[in-house]
Amino acid sequence: MPNKTVKILYVEDDFAIQKSIYDVLSAKYGVDNVFTASNGEEAFELYKNESPDIVVTDIKMPKIDGIQLIELIRNKDRNIPIIIVSAYERDVFDLEGKPVCQYLVKPVQKFTLLYAIETCLYGKQDK
Amino acid sequence: MENKINKFIVKNITEIIVVFDDCGIISSANDYAINEYGESMIGKNIFNIIDIPKYKKYDDYENTHTFKNSLKEHFHIETKVFSILNDDNKLKYNIIIAKDIEKEEEYQNQLKELILQKESYIMDVHHKIKNNLQTIISILDMWLKSAKDNNEIGEPCMNTFETFVMDIQRRIIAISLVHSMLNKSNYDSHTLNINFSVYIYNLLEQISAFFSMENKIIKFEFNGKDYLINSDRAIPGGLIINDIISNFYKFCFNSKDVTNSSIKIKMNINKKMTSVKLIIEMFYISKDKYKLPRESENLIAGLLNQIQATMTINYTKNKSVFTIIF
């Protein structure tokens, strides 16, 4: 596994979900490298200030939602891996022109999310 | 919502039904026709109201005509006229059934909107269920972390506790997959039936993905057939399969001497399509036999009873076979 520091932006408006995933991500990537936001607006500010390597986002959120956030980010960077974690099925949203690396449907276990992050960052993982 | 739609349909019957004799005199009309005409139509001549041709008998006549109400307003209507005859083949009366084309279109659009609204509510319900299940999984993770950080449970018990939490999380995932399928278009919205084969495959993939996170993998082969099952039966069914398969994974990975493990699952559906036989074969090489743990046995027995399914188990050397009839 590459040792380079990875910066992750995690966007989720549900407190319990955000907290538990933050714990998992910070344990793996370090507390200084995981940034959390509760809506798209906060997330976009963090994205501009922290330049994360990967974004993990929910869709249904107050203010700017996940789809709008992806659009804002894609206007600045076409290549940054983005993972959607939503309780809605993939076909509900029009992601045309807003490519994402992985779409995970909630509920998701921490292993599944970590595996998806590693796959998006480094390609298919050896099992 | 269903009731709302039914009421809407009854309230919005947009068909004019009128009975008239050989001279065109109206003997009866439905409420919608009377309402549209503006006053009682009884005794009036149909040919002054709807411009249908005068025939001695109407043999399933169909055409588009104009309906003229008492205020002399005109509406386009799709008209069907037919004659009811006596035993001696003489005319008893004529019936005209006509649809207001514009109102029908408006009504169809409103109905479509109501159905879309209903589908959207259903989607939101499944979304909320899945989100709540995610919250439960997250709370369990937080609980586990807190127990670890604060050393609330002694080291020897910690592994058991962690296994226990993960077992619960996998069961939650098994339940959530049914809601995922009910959220997609691949289910019957009237019966809430889902394709059991697709569900089992998704479940196997989830279990496999869960264990492969720790670089542990068992090859599985699934020979499924399309079989619709109600979601009320699919959830207990999924929990049973989850426990059988997950425990086999744990057996293989917790013991160093287990090798060559693989799983084969076959579905046989009876001719009447009323039941499905699921044969789960687990192969391995070990000095120990794979057996279901006691707590899983109890859970599975309860779930089998709940959905009136049966299961037989055959433990032999290097092979365990579970045959379940749903």
Side-chain angles (χ1 to χ4, degrees), chain A residues 72-125:
Chain A
L72 289 169
I73 293 174
R74 283 283 172 250
N75 284 338
K76 290 192 167 287
D77 185 343
R78 300 295 299 167
N79 300 319
I80 181 170
I82 298 176
I83 297 175
I84 291 178
V85 184
S86 170
Y88 284 105
E89 299 297 318
R90 187 183 184 124
D91 55 9
V92 173
F93 302 104
D94 180 14
L95 293 171
E96 185 76 37
K98 296 177 275 289
V100 293
C101 176
Q102 295 248 0
Y103 191 109
L104 304 177
V105 179
K106 286 179 184 172
V108 171
Q109 281 179 293
K110 57 190 174 191
F111 298 103
T112 315
L113 179 60
L114 286 175
Y115 186 74
I117 291 172
E118 296 288 302
T119 305
C120 286
L121 287 170
Y122 310 116
K124 190 127 182 91
Q125 300 299 294

Side-chain angles (χ1 to χ4, degrees), chain B residues 169-195:
Chain B
Q169 289 181 333
R170 268 195 306 275
R171 286 170 187 152
I172 292 172
I173 297 279
I175 294 170
S176 78
L177 283 176
V178 171
H179 291 284
S180 249
M181 289 186 71
L182 290 173
N183 206 347
K184 287 180 183 169
S185 49
N186 57 357
Y187 80 101
D188 182 336
S189 61
H190 296 293
T191 58
L192 294 185
N193 285 346
I194 60 165
N195 191 332

